Amino acid sequence: MTLFRAIYFVAFTVCLVSFFPDKAVSQNVLGGHLDALAGTPENPLEVGVGIRIDQITGVDQKAENYGAVVVLRVEWTDPALAYDHEELGRDIRVFNPPDLANHAAEVGAVMPAFVIHNQQSNKWIHESAASLRYDGRVVYVEKSSLILQAPHFDFRKYPFDTQEFHFEVVSIFPTEYVSYYPLEEFSGLGDLLGEEEWILNNARLEASEVMGLSGRESDQVALVFEGNRHLTYYVIRVFLPMLVLISVGWALFFLDEYRRRIEIAGGNLLVFVAFNWAISADLPKLGYLTFLDFVLQCMFLMTGALIVFNVALRRLKVSGKEGTARTLDNYAIKWIYPLGYAAIVAYAVFAYLLVP
């Protein structure tokens, strides 16, 4: 039992609100006392965790993380913290977080420490406070901003992808000493998240057990929510220009001068190169093709093949085989070009969007 008196008791990875209102203090803990054991295997401390995200300050796809302003609520009851409310004259006492840690240390009570498992930056506390009821019930709340890792991003269906975001709170103590349960009524997403690129929804709390800092199974409560992109942007900025370029490539077949066809197709080829660079700038260097990558690369190859095809037709015409050139040209106009693109799009939809 004494082992846990000395491990990772950093009591709520939370920060004090500064005495100066224009400055935020980061990464101060509720208390640093290591002499209180969190519950017992026979009677683990039950801790409620609620997570509410009020703002999304940004989503960085290349770094695979996102910034958030979060309200965290933690509740538990420890009889060791109970006091005589008639003697004190009040039912509830309000503490600054470090003062509550000091008070708990004085009476030998427990402060259930936790970490935010996917935290990537310092956590800046905007406001924090703790209330203690006479029966030993504690409610701790904090509003903070931080950057969180999003390792579950998968861009294979980009831009029709649905991404999963997590906010994970993990107990420092093993499950047999501290047990977590979700506070559904205090969790979810705010009404004004301030995020224009994504449609965020389907927020839910998930309780599980993970490997904790102690090296043993610890309880975790995570707020999980999903994000979809505003497709209007991609329809107007990406797919509509691509459709225009495909139509221009098809219209080239109606020109009798093969040399003009080659010049215009060469210009289209450069446009596809610019498209590819612009889209890749928004994503990390992936080891796989996305839906949009596949379509763009096929369009690039088709445009290159169009140039080669028109060069071959010109060679036939120059060598006196203009009839053969016109026959091949006619097949390309009616069948090869439109059916080729239809097959590309159909395969991309099946392979990237329909297959799990």
Side-chain angles (χ1 to χ4, degrees):
M1 301 290 282
T2 58
L3 171 63
F4 296 100
R5 298 177 182 271
I7 63 170
Y8 307 111
F9 195 72
V10 293
F12 285 140
T13 312
V14 297
C15 310
L16 289 176
V17 177
S18 174
F19 288 107
F20 301 97
D22 59 335
K23 298 180 180 179
V25 180
S26 72
Q27 303 306 106
N28 291 330
V29 296
L30 194 69
H33 303 282
L34 304 177
D35 56 348
L37 188 62
T40 63
E42 296 77 19
N43 184 31
L45 184 68
E46 295 186 357
V47 180
V49 178
I51 306 166
R52 179 178 176 83
I53 294 182
D54 283 343
Q55 298 177 39
I56 298 294
T57 58
V59 177
D60 189 336
Q61 297 180 111
K62 296 191 72 171
E64 296 194 43
N65 60 34
Y66 71 99
V69 177
V70 184
V71 176
L72 191 63
R73 182 184 180 99
V74 183
E75 300 180 358
W76 74 95
T77 300
D78 190 340
L81 292 170
Y83 63 91
D84 189 344
H85 61 289
E86 294 183 354
E87 179 181 347
L88 187 64
R90 62 180 64 182
D91 292 341
I92 295 176
R93 300 175 62 184
V94 179
F95 291 87
N96 285 326
D99 295 336
L100 178 62
N102 292 333
H103 174 69
E106 292 174 358
V107 299
V110 173
M111 298 299 292
F114 69 85
V115 294
I116 298 175
H117 189 241
N118 59 327
Q119 178 180 340
Q120 282 194 338
S121 70
N122 285 343
K123 182 174 66 170
W124 298 92
I125 300 296
H126 306 298
E127 297 175 356
S128 64
S131 68
L132 171 62
R133 201 168 61 186
Y134 66 90
D135 59 355
R137 182 165 183 78
V138 180
V139 176
Y140 171 77
V141 292
E142 70 169 38
K143 184 173 184 177
S144 60
S145 57
L146 69 167
I147 294 175
L148 300 131
Q149 183 188 24
H152 302 279
F153 280 2
D154 188 337
F155 300 103
R156 297 179 194 276
K157 297 183 179 182
Y158 174 80
F160 301 99
D161 50 333
T162 298
Q163 301 299 348
E164 197 171 84
F165 300 78
H166 289 238
F167 189 104
E168 301 166 346
V169 178
V170 181
S171 172
I172 285 181
F173 292 96
T175 299
E176 58 186 308
Y177 293 95
V178 175
S179 175
Y180 277 4
Y181 63 91
L183 299 175
E184 300 282 354
E185 64 274 22
F186 298 108
S187 303
L189 299 175
D191 297 327
L192 297 173
L193 294 175
E195 174 54 48
E196 295 296 335
E197 181 179 356
W198 296 83
I199 302 172
L200 302 174
N201 51 36
N202 196 24
R204 58 198 182 275
L205 281 184
E206 295 182 355
S208 61
E209 294 184 7
V210 298
M211 183 67 69
L213 293 180
S214 64
R216 299 171 62 179
E217 291 294 316
S218 301
D219 274 20
Q220 171 182 279
V221 171
L223 177 67
V224 182
F225 56 100
E226 296 174 353
N228 304 95
R229 303 174 193 274
H230 288 283
L231 292 180
T232 303
Y233 171 86
Y234 294 93
V235 170
I236 295 175
R237 299 294 182 89
V238 178
F239 292 113
L240 184 59
M242 287 169 60
L243 181 60
V244 171
L245 292 174
I246 293 172
S247 301
V248 169
W250 181 68
L252 292 180
F253 289 106
F254 295 94
L255 289 175
D256 292 330
E257 179 55 52
Y258 296 126
R259 183 178 298 173
R260 293 293 299 165
R261 292 186 184 185
I262 296 170
E263 292 174 356
I264 297 174
N268 279 359
L269 201 63
L270 296 177
V271 173
F272 285 128
V273 172
F275 255 110
N276 190 56
W277 279 104
I279 291 171
S280 63
D282 291 334
L283 298 177
K285 296 179 180 179
L286 304 172
Y288 53 85
L289 286 179
T290 68
F291 170 82
L292 191 54
D293 286 335
F294 178 81
V295 173
L296 273 175
Q297 297 306 317
C298 288
M299 290 178 65
F300 183 77
L301 293 175
M302 285 284 286
T303 305
L306 183 61
I307 296 175
V308 174
F309 181 70
N310 280 289
V311 170
L313 293 180
R314 176 168 172 77
R315 292 285 295 176
L316 288 172
K317 181 179 180 180
V318 170
S319 62
K321 300 178 181 179
E322 187 172 355
T324 303
R326 289 191 177 277
T327 301
L328 292 175
D329 207 10
N330 187 53
Y331 275 111
I333 293 174
K334 291 182 178 179
W335 304 107
I336 299 175
Y337 191 83
L339 291 181
Y341 269 113
I344 289 170
V345 173
Y347 176 80
V349 170
F350 173 77
Y352 286 87
L353 303 184
L354 299 181
V355 176

